[in-house]
Amino acid sequence: MPSANSATPGGTPSHIVDLAATSLSRAIHAREVSCTEVLDAYLAQVDRLNPVVNALVAMADRNALRTQASERDAQLARGESLGPLHGFPQAPKDIMPAAGMVTTRGSPIFAGQVSATDAVVFERMRAGGALFIGRSNSPEFGLGGHTYNPVYGTTRNAHNAAVSAGGSSGGAAVAVALHMLPVADGSDMMGSLRTPAAFNNVYGLRTSFGLVPHGPTEEVFFQQFSVAGPMARNIPDLALLLSVQAGFDARLPLTRRHEDVALLGQPLERDWRGARIGWLGDLGGHLPTEPGVLATCEQALEHFRTVGCAVESVVPAFDLKQLWNAWIDLRSFSVAGANAALYRNLATHALLKPEAVWEIERGMRLTALQVYDAARVRSAWYQVLRGLFEQFDFLVLPAAQVFPFNADLDWPHEVGGRTMDTYHRWMETVVPATMAGLPALAAPAGFGPGGLPAGLQIIGPAQSDAAVLQIGHAYDQASGYARQRSPLLD
């Protein structure tokens, strides 16, 4: 069945970029539209809107891209297809390496650095037929929920260019929302797929750890926070990109084998009558929220009831201050381990932003026992949520505690009358899913009193990514929030 975001193939370039990704893939494979036409349509959309929002950076040579698109057309003429992404313009997030492309990680330390190899997820997207037209913008090292850096500048919101796009997958979210890409990859440690999805009225899936290979990196066992995943304007499109990204890779031994992810191919439609949703709200007053956020999210809960779910408020029985302290210890441990060499080098140290220095210094001060204690808290938190999933099928939280804020700020220093004691405290709502290693779908929740987007997180039990996509699809069909177009598109 065609997506509600689909349009008639062919015609003007705007018709092509308005196609849902699933419809675009079908049209390309039916040769109703050529890969060259698709490329030109998306490049025209980039030319029209990217100067306003600065979502895509380090654009590739267009003559080379058109040569690649012609090769994709020739393959189809021979009856050959590389996969669902055949002929899809894509822009890998500027955090992990992409072969032959500049990978700055948002830092002047790496400005101009061209990668020799692909991250696994990019390798799979390229092998699946994607054409890499540039990179999507990200904050320095992906740190912080606001996409700005000294290399490429600030990425602005798809619905209001005066406010933040979120981060760290801010460029990806904006490019999807403004139809500059049909779908996009992102990554998530502390909401980097979820915050920009909420801020830009699109979907972003923080996948279960190991579902999508994230790397390779120099350390493949301890790192269990950062995951790669898809962003899209609807759930079938999200599932399409995920089908290319997911699966075992021997370079990353904790990834899951193909037979373990086979459920991703099952139908998205499902009867949800009698399903139970646990609404976590502001965690019993623990999370400060901007006025209007909770009310907007609570209105969105009605769409779960529409499809037959029962919704009940619940607060986990856990010391949430202890959870936060364990989180920042484990995060600083990871950030310091990956970047301590840059800190110790005087030349590169001078180019690190203050938030990166803060994280690295915290991590370097931690003892081994402190790290172990934080991991023990994390494990106890998982068991508490596992118990809640005996009562509820899914847990739901706001995807962001604030609406998109002024793009010229570094980060919100006060939320709901409370001072934020770290540069990422305003994003605490994303920590519960990350710390428990659970799949979490950021879904549009409508627009607040000021006309800016809000989002929900739909959190499932361990390794329930397929079920999370299914409930997300039902919610999307009932709510229709994601079909509200940005005024920049008109």
Side-chain angles (χ1 to χ4, degrees):
M1 189 173 82
S3 161
N5 286 359
S6 63
T8 302
T12 65
S14 63
H15 288 155
I16 292 175
V17 300
D18 284 346
L19 285 169
T22 51
S23 298
L24 177 65
S25 185
R26 286 193 295 269
I28 288 172
H29 284 88
R31 302 186 67 190
E32 294 168 351
V33 61
S34 72
C35 298
T36 303
E37 289 172 324
V38 169
L39 174 66
D40 286 341
Y42 274 98
L43 290 178
Q45 188 79 339
V46 171
D47 288 342
R48 184 167 78 91
L49 295 178
N50 200 51
V52 180
V53 292
N54 190 39
L56 302 183
V57 297
M59 298 300 290
D61 178 79
R62 296 199 173 187
N63 289 330
L65 289 173
R66 290 191 176 97
T67 297
Q68 293 175 41
S70 296
E71 291 171 354
R72 296 287 183 272
D73 285 325
Q75 288 170 320
L76 290 175
R78 296 192 300 267
E80 302 168 4
S81 168
L82 295 177
L85 303 185
H86 193 101
F88 269 41
Q90 290 290 271
K93 182 178 175 182
D94 185 27
I95 287 291
M96 299 297 286
M101 305 185 80
V102 172
T103 304
T104 73
R105 301 174 64 200
S107 169
I109 295 171
F110 303 113
Q113 173 181 274
V114 177
S115 297
T117 60
D118 278 327
V120 178
V121 68
F122 301 156
E123 181 181 281
R124 290 183 174 179
M125 292 166 65
R126 200 191 297 266
L131 305 176
F132 287 175
I133 66 171
R135 305 301 300 259
S136 61
N137 202 21
S138 171
E140 182 180 324
F141 303 142
L143 299 178
H146 178 27
T147 298
Y148 70 96
N149 62 64
V151 182
Y152 297 119
T154 302
T155 296
R156 296 178 175 271
N157 193 282
H159 288 264
N160 182 334
V163 298
S164 171
S168 63
S169 306
V174 172
V176 167
L178 293 181
H179 301 204
M180 293 190 287
L181 295 174
V183 289
D185 70 274
S187 57
D188 188 298
M189 184 185 196
M190 190 180 181
S192 289
L193 276 158
R194 291 167 283 167
T195 303
F199 275 20
N200 292 282
N201 197 49
V202 298
Y203 287 91
L205 178 65
R206 177 187 167 84
T207 52
S208 296
F209 179 77
L211 179 65
V212 176
H214 186 61
T217 60
E218 64 182 7
E219 195 287 300
V220 298
F221 288 103
F222 280 109
Q223 196 298 109
Q224 296 181 30
F225 284 136
S226 291
V227 300
M231 306 190 85
R233 297 188 290 272
N234 61 54
I235 301 302
D237 289 0
L238 202 72
L240 179 135
L241 178 54
L242 183 58
S243 72
V244 175
Q245 296 175 324
F248 176 76
D249 188 284
R251 290 167 289 186
L252 297 156
L254 302 185
T255 50
R256 287 152 59 187
R257 291 195 176 274
H258 287 288
E259 54 265 31
D260 294 333
V261 301
L263 288 176
L264 293 175
Q266 66 184 329
L268 290 170
E269 289 74 20
R270 181 172 160 186
D271 185 353
W272 289 105
R273 287 174 292 184
R276 301 157 299 172
I277 303 289
W279 168 236
L280 302 183
D282 61 0
L283 297 173
H286 176 76
L287 296 176
T289 57
E290 182 178 343
V293 167
L294 281 179
T296 302
C297 290
E298 286 166 353
Q299 288 174 0
L301 295 176
E302 289 302 316
H303 300 294
F304 292 107
R305 297 186 176 99
T306 297
V307 301
C309 299
V311 181
E312 179 184 340
S313 295
V314 64
V315 178
F318 200 84
D319 184 342
L320 297 171
K321 292 182 180 178
Q322 186 183 44
L323 180 68
W324 170 258
N325 290 333
W327 158 248
I328 58 173
D329 281 354
L330 291 171
R331 177 181 167 91
S332 294
F333 162 73
S334 299
V335 173
N339 298 291
L342 300 177
Y343 177 88
R344 295 189 178 105
N345 182 303
L346 292 179
T348 53
H349 184 125
L351 297 174
L352 293 171
K353 71 177 182 179
E355 292 83 0
V357 171
W358 179 85
E359 287 278 17
I360 295 167
E361 289 179 344
R362 278 197 88 257
M364 293 173 71
R365 289 195 299 268
L366 291 169
T367 67
L369 286 180
Q370 284 176 304
V371 174
Y372 187 84
D373 283 343
R376 188 158 48 192
V377 171
R378 181 188 187 192
S379 301
W381 169 245
Y382 169 78
Q383 298 300 341
V384 167
L385 290 192
R386 188 176 64 83
L388 283 182
F389 283 120
E390 295 176 0
Q391 180 181 356
F392 299 102
D393 296 289
F394 301 96
L395 301 174
V396 176
L397 264 172
Q401 295 161 237
V402 298
F403 293 108
F405 51 88
N406 188 322
D408 294 329
L409 295 177
D410 51 0
W411 42 273
H413 290 257
E414 182 180 289
V415 177
R418 295 192 221 171
T419 299
M420 300 292 97
D421 57 351
T422 72
Y423 76 99
H424 46 21
R425 190 67 179 246
W426 62 276
M427 301 166 62
E428 190 173 357
T429 189
V430 300
V431 168
T434 295
M435 281 289 271
L438 301 177
L441 174 69
F447 291 75
L452 294 174
L456 292 172
Q457 295 175 81
I458 305 172
I459 303 169
Q463 299 189 21
S464 66
D465 302 73
V468 169
L469 289 178
Q470 289 174 325
I471 187 64
H473 182 58
Y475 170 86
D476 181 41
Q477 296 298 296
S479 70
Y481 291 136
R483 293 186 282 281
Q484 183 163 334
R485 290 163 59 93
S486 164
L488 291 176
L489 289 170
D490 300 323

